[in-house]
């Protein structure tokens, strides 16, 4: 596995792959790798001749009071995991490499962001598409891999790529979960033992919501039931949001739309 930190060296490697007409599968990450990332790598390996992964904790997608400084990092561990799982090229740029100058033009996401993380984290998705535009230009991937767990991110990225004709196919890979159903996430390390135990309720609640859909299409009733189920099971009342939206517009769900949306949230793979 090659480890590259500069744009120039990355460009030379990418040119080499292109000369040999090799397809490139790209897995953009912020590091602190877990099985969710490795599932993206496995899919990229299956579908491409070359797998490129990036590790970059992107300051542009963190708000002023968010966890940029404390975001978990372990480059040595990440390098080992990436190599053991067949990554061909690992790109680990510094902030100076990715943002050498203040941007003269900024990208602002306009749709799909008025709710959920888009509302809770103003500017977050602007930062995500900004860094992805840079990474896509540098890596020139055939396919790029994202976890279904981040459904709103996937919708925003799919819209952005379509808007600006990026010649890349976005591949969405099912969420990898812990034994008790909690989605794997680098940020799970923030949880105390008690919070970690209680976090399993999120998956249970989604399963319950799906069951309720077979009995009612009353959106408000389902949300109220799920909210009370979560409240009863947890001592830590830190819920930021609980809602249902249409995919990929993230507009309000009307009753007849519930059946279309929940499978995505619950993680059933969409047809390719
Ligand atoms: O999902 C993430 O880890 C990040 O948002 C991404 C796509 C790597 C962009 O920084």
């Amino acid at each position: 596995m090659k480890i590259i930190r500069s744009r120039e060296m990355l460009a030379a490697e990418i040119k080499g792959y292109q000369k040999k007409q090799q397809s490139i599968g790209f897995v953009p990450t912020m590091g602190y790798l877990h099985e969710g990332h490795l599932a993206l790598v496995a899919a990229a390996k299956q579908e491409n001749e070359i797998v490129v992964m990036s590790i970059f904790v992107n300051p542009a997608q963190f708000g002023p009071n968010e966890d940029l400084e404390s975001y978990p990092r372990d480059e040595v561990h990440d390098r080992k995991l990436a190599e053991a799982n067949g990554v061909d090229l690992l790109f680990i740029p510094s902030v100076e490499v990715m943002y050498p100058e203040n941007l003269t033009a900024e990208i602002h996401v306009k749709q799909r962001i008025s709710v959920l993380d888009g509302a809770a984290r103003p500017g977050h998705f602007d930062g995500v598409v900004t860094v992805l535009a840079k990474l896509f230009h540098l890596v020139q991937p055939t396919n790029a891999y994202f976890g279904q767990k981040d459904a709103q991110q996937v919708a925003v990225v799919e819209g952005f790529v379509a808007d600006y004709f990026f010649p890349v196919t976005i591949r969405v890979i099912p969420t990898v979960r812990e034994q008790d159903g909690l989605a794997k996430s680098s940020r799970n390390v923030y949880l105390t033992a008690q919070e970690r135990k209680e976090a399993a309720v999120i998956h249970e609640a989604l399963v319950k919501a799906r069951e309720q859909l077979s009995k009612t299409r009353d959106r408000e009733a389902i949300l109220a039931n799920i909210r009370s189920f979560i409240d009863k099971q947890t001592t830590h009342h830190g819920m930021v949001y609980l809602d249902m939206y249409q995919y990929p517009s993230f507009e309000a769900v009307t009753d007849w739309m519930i059946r279309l949306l929940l499978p995505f949230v619950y993680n059933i793979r969409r047809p390719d």
Side-chain angles (χ1 to χ4, degrees):
M1 181 180 76
K2 290 201 163 128
I3 297 175
I4 286 184
R5 295 176 195 274
S6 80
R7 296 193 307 273
E8 294 72 20
M9 286 178 70
L10 177 64
E13 291 295 328
I14 298 296
K15 230 181 214 155
Y17 302 143
Q18 288 172 336
K19 230 180 185 165
K20 289 190 235 158
Q21 299 196 323
Q22 288 172 305
S23 56
I24 300 174
F26 178 42
V27 182
T29 81
M30 300 207 298
Y32 213 68
L33 302 180
H34 52 69
E35 285 91 334
H37 297 112
L38 302 181
L40 306 184
V41 171
K45 265 200 97 55
Q46 210 168 22
E47 298 173 3
N48 305 272
E49 285 151 291
I50 296 293
V51 177
V52 175
M53 174 187 273
S54 63
I55 294 179
F56 179 62
V57 181
N58 171 35
Q61 69 189 73
F62 288 79
N65 299 317
E66 292 183 359
D67 57 344
L68 174 61
E69 296 310 322
S70 59
Y71 193 85
R73 294 162 168 90
D74 189 345
E75 192 189 301
V76 174
H77 181 249
D78 287 350
R79 284 200 316 237
K80 278 192 202 136
L81 268 188
E83 177 144 43
N85 285 272
V87 170
D88 298 288
L89 189 160
L90 185 57
F91 180 49
I92 316 181
S94 64
V95 173
E96 292 69 34
V97 164
M98 290 305 290
Y99 296 98
E101 305 283 350
N102 279 337
L103 297 174
T104 59
E106 286 183 354
I107 307 171
H108 175 53
V109 181
K110 290 203 312 191
Q111 287 180 25
R112 309 178 176 186
I113 53 138
S114 62
V115 295
L116 308 181
D117 260 16
R121 305 182 63 190
H124 168 67
F125 287 116
D126 293 349
V128 169
V129 294
T130 298
V131 80
L132 287 176
K134 287 169 174 266
L135 288 166
F136 287 167
H137 282 129
L138 294 172
V139 176
Q140 301 186 38
T142 318
N143 298 295
Y145 294 79
F146 293 86
Q148 199 169 30
K149 163 173 78 68
D150 304 315
Q152 196 172 20
Q153 171 167 278
V154 172
V156 166
V157 172
E158 281 178 336
F160 179 62
V161 160
D163 285 346
Y164 291 95
F165 312 132
F166 278 87
V168 58
T169 300
I170 300 303
R171 299 282 294 115
V172 186
I173 305 302
T175 303
V176 178
R177 297 181 180 280
E178 303 285 357
Q179 289 236 310
D180 64 3
L182 178 65
K184 301 249 182 191
S185 163
S186 307
R187 286 190 170 102
N188 287 349
V189 294
Y190 295 157
L191 300 174
T192 63
Q194 180 64 19
E195 286 165 352
R196 170 64 193 84
K197 215 167 116 205
E198 293 183 0
V201 77
I202 299 168
H203 184 242
E204 281 177 59
L206 285 172
V207 173
K208 262 197 183 319
R210 190 174 61 165
E211 276 166 19
Q212 289 184 14
L213 279 174
S214 59
K215 298 181 198 124
T216 173
R217 296 192 185 186
D218 184 339
R219 169 183 188 271
E220 294 309 324
I222 293 174
L223 287 173
N225 283 343
I226 297 304
R227 186 166 288 117
S228 117
F229 173 73
I230 292 175
D231 279 348
K232 278 192 201 126
Q233 306 282 318
T234 54
T235 52
H236 174 79
H237 296 290
M239 194 192 303
V240 177
Y241 52 70
L242 172 74
D243 220 324
M244 288 188 202
Y245 293 99
Q246 201 183 155
Y247 188 89
S249 68
F250 282 83
E251 282 163 8
V253 179
T254 54
D255 289 352
W256 65 269
M257 284 174 181
I258 286 178
R259 284 177 178 276
L260 296 178
L261 171 78
L262 207 74
F264 188 88
V265 172
Y266 181 63
N267 228 353
I268 292 171
R269 201 170 175 184
R270 292 176 306 150
D272 291 331

